Amino acid sequence: MSGTSALYAGMVTHARLRPRAHRLGYRVFSALFDIDELPQLDRSLRLFGHNRRALYSFHDRDHGDGSGRLRPWVETKLLAAGIEPDGGAIRLLCYPRILGFVFNPLTVFFCHDRNGQLVAILYEVANTHGERHTYVIPTRSGDGPVVEQECAKDFFVSPFVAMDCRYRFRIGPPGDKVLVSIAEDDADGLFLTATFAGRRVPISDGRLLRMLLAYPLMTLKVVAGIHWEALKLWWKGIPVFAHGKAAAPIGETVVTVADRR
């Protein structure tokens, strides 16, 4: 079908440098959903459902504030960052539900104006404690094909990573390819990188069926992989930091346009 929604097949890789080296790599695929195209996808695809049960599905309440009203939620965050929403495209890169189950460690919202210019990126991070936090960061007018952003870490993600850290994002927005790379620094510098690099494939019933065969039970494997890698880190003697409960189960950090100048 036509439109900007698509699938991206690729690899997730993590590399830890300190205090013990640790690397992982998993084949995955993500979906890019234009939120205004979701009703059309629901009607045109037999294997996909929007806010309903299907082999693959996307539920609005899985993201944002949980109200199921994604565009108003995103536009409120843009306003808080000093950006006036004008109805431009909002596209998010995430794992879809497969057989009703999903866990998204990171969902990336690409927010555009009516002229197609990328004006902000929202990074929605979830942990296994049922909490999520969104980092709202405007783009700069001089950003090239790869967008570089940064902000302080304000949300507990892994028991093997301290809170006193800073994120550096390097983003190749979705086109024929997509790149989401996050470098994490502590007081001693870079110690962890996480990257998803994928290649675009069209979204169709045939492609969704092939993805099911190529990546069986992928969303369950995401959670299993998180716990398996945690066990290996613990075995290597990586220090463990206690979970600091978030002030609210859904939170945000907003970087304003003024902050980015």
Side-chain angles (χ1 to χ4, degrees):
M1 63 168 290
S2 61
T4 57
S5 298
L7 305 174
Y8 284 85
M11 287 283 295
V12 166
T13 57
H14 286 207
R16 173 186 281 268
L17 307 179
R18 297 183 276 110
R20 301 281 190 278
H22 184 75
R23 295 179 180 272
L24 64 87
Y26 291 95
R27 292 176 61 249
V28 298
F29 77 91
S30 291
L32 180 74
F33 292 122
D34 184 312
I35 64 172
D36 294 326
E37 291 177 0
L38 285 165
Q40 180 187 356
L41 292 172
D42 182 88
R43 292 190 298 270
S44 61
L45 296 173
R46 296 180 179 179
L47 301 184
F48 175 80
H50 178 217
N51 292 329
R52 64 177 178 84
R53 292 181 180 179
L55 180 61
Y56 292 89
S57 59
F58 178 87
H59 289 235
D60 295 347
R61 68 177 183 273
D62 290 339
H63 302 276
D65 60 4
S67 68
R69 302 176 67 247
L70 275 183
R71 178 173 282 278
W73 175 80
V74 171
E75 291 180 342
T76 297
K77 304 311 164 197
L78 295 179
L79 282 169
I83 299 168
E84 187 68 36
D86 64 2
I90 299 170
R91 299 167 186 143
L92 65 158
L93 187 72
C94 66
Y95 298 139
R97 287 194 184 203
I98 301 177
L99 296 173
F101 180 81
V102 72
F103 175 70
N104 270 290
L106 174 67
T107 299
V108 184
F109 291 77
F110 297 92
C111 305
H112 302 77
D113 63 18
R114 283 183 295 184
N115 296 320
Q117 183 70 32
L118 183 66
V119 296
I121 301 177
L122 278 58
Y123 304 90
E124 183 183 68
V125 182
N127 63 26
T128 56
H129 299 276
E131 302 164 338
R132 62 178 179 255
H133 190 95
T134 301
Y135 298 90
V136 182
I137 310 182
T139 59
R140 290 191 176 104
S141 58
D143 284 334
V146 175
V147 179
E148 296 186 355
Q149 301 175 313
E150 62 179 77
C151 67
K153 177 181 178 178
D154 290 332
F155 177 67
F156 181 95
V157 178
S158 166
F160 300 99
V161 179
M163 284 295 295
D164 189 16
C165 296
R166 190 166 186 84
Y167 291 129
R168 290 184 286 115
F169 303 97
R170 189 169 183 269
I171 308 298
D176 290 336
K177 299 178 181 179
V178 68
L179 171 70
V180 177
S181 181
I182 305 172
E184 197 161 353
D185 299 333
D186 61 13
D188 296 319
L190 176 67
F191 76 96
L192 180 68
T193 60
T195 299
F196 171 65
R199 184 177 294 274
R200 182 185 180 98
V201 294
I203 187 168
S204 66
D205 281 320
R207 181 65 68 173
L208 288 171
L209 186 57
R210 287 194 289 274
M211 289 295 187
L212 186 68
L213 299 175
Y215 307 87
L217 301 177
M218 186 190 72
T219 51
L220 283 171
K221 290 180 178 179
V222 168
V223 176
I226 288 171
H227 289 90
W228 174 239
E229 298 298 334
L231 179 62
K232 290 193 285 186
L233 289 170
W234 174 81
W235 184 258
K236 288 183 176 183
I238 305 296
V240 175
F241 300 90
H243 169 229
K245 187 176 181 180
I250 299 175
E252 65 195 52
T253 296
V254 178
V255 178
T256 68
V257 171
D259 295 330
R260 291 275 286 157
R261 287 174 182 161

